[in-house]
Amino acid sequence: MKIGIAKERRPYEARVAASPDTVKKFVSMGLEVAIESGAGLTAAYTDAAYEAAGAKIVKTAKDALGSADIVLKVRKPIGPGAEVEKEADEIALMKSGATLISLMEPYKDRALIDALAAKKITTFALELVPRITRAQSMDVLSSQANLAGYKAVLDACNEFGRAFPMMMTAAGTVPPARVLVMGAGVAGLQAIATAKRLGAVVSATDVRPAAKEQVESLGGTFVAVEDEEFKEAETAGGYAKEMSDAYKKKQAELIAETLKKQDVVICTALIPGRPAPVLVSEDMVKTMKPGSVIVDLAVEQGGNSPLSEFGKVVKKHGVSIVGHANVPSRIAVDASALYAKNVLNFLTPLYDAEAKSLKINLEDEIVKGSLITRDGEVVHPSVLAVEASKSAAKPAAKPAAKPKAPRKPAAKSAAKPKAAAATAAEKPAQASDKEGDT
């Protein structure tokens, strides 16, 4: 079987789906690997390094993908139409019946998923791999979010006009920066640890009760309204639940008071398949100290602050708001190495070296959780449910107007009473017709 890897052509993407180390592993498993020339350069992997690991370097994306049985990507493929300006339709380059393993953003782009299904491509969305013990080594969300949390603190340092640690000098004392991390998932916990290492005074907030102990174990102070709803605010998969409006109001009041004292705010809160929750409103930003910094890691899903701008650093009300796109890609070397290892760990159990084919066990929890297209159909229940909910939300079509009955010819003067009775009888029917048109 052949693995094909092309350059990532989406904007802001510098990662690659395989490293020389993982290529070496694939080759030892009996797989052939074809990589488009230059695919790894932005992650510091040269063509020579891939060749030394056993890969074949090919000239174009078509050469890499056209005969591949397995396509490995970081970002979802470019689909039909002008999805990415001046770039070819990558789905058209793949052969029918191939298997695609990638981050897919499955709740955002149903048309692209339908195009993959139409070509009978078997598609695995790596962000849907369940967070179970057996799948930890395949968890791309965690490996990439970990780096994003680290980089977010460095980006904040770059915009902040002061030092992070306390410094006592002959000229005076520099107070430590105060950092608030909003969302204590993988990215948030790494941000807490990084800010602490740099000497900041760190606090953090999250709606999940389990986060409190994790924050405190890293030396942070936990900030949250700890009521009964808070105690039930975590899904079985470890994600945050959508909170009630009443809880959001109480939490917002607490955060508003906390924000006034902060120098740096790192926002990391996301809910899978939904727009990012707004945590820092414009009114809150107005109360922050001049020169403060907000780093919004949720900007690609709408942002935790409505003032964030995708791919930009802006200044609003004296506060710098950082909205860099694709933060893991800003550390492309390590992000690629970790992602490639996640992909290797995902693919290895699927590949039968003796039969030289993929064995997709639909009863396996990992396969069932991440498979989105197979045999020409979209098969993932959550993806189907999102489309169904969109269809249900569409306004119903207006019913067709009923044809009006032709009026009877007017009666002669001798039959005037009967004519008046007929006219009165017609009025309710005419009113009913008008209601049907509405």
Side-chain angles (χ1 to χ4, degrees), residues 35-60:
I35 300 179
E36 183 183 0
S37 180
L41 289 179
T42 50
Y45 298 140
T46 64
D47 290 350
Y50 282 128
E51 281 187 308
K56 180 183 178 182
I57 303 301
V58 296
K59 289 184 178 180
T60 67

Side-chain angles (χ1 to χ4, degrees), residues 22-96:
T22 62
V23 166
K24 194 178 294 184
K25 294 281 187 182
F26 289 136
V27 171
S28 71
M29 291 162 58
L31 292 159
E32 297 178 35
V33 182
I35 300 179
E36 183 183 0
S37 180
L41 289 179
T42 50
Y45 298 140
T46 64
D47 290 350
Y50 282 128
E51 281 187 308
K56 180 183 178 182
I57 303 301
V58 296
K59 289 184 178 180
T60 67
K62 183 178 181 180
D63 295 333
L65 304 181
S67 60
D69 302 295
I70 304 166
V71 174
L72 304 182
K73 286 186 57 60
V74 178
R75 302 285 296 283
K76 62 187 179 183
I78 296 165
E83 190 181 344
V84 177
E85 190 178 354
K86 298 180 181 177
E87 294 296 348
D89 178 353
E90 292 176 317
I91 296 176
L93 301 181
M94 299 182 205
K95 71 178 187 180
S96 178

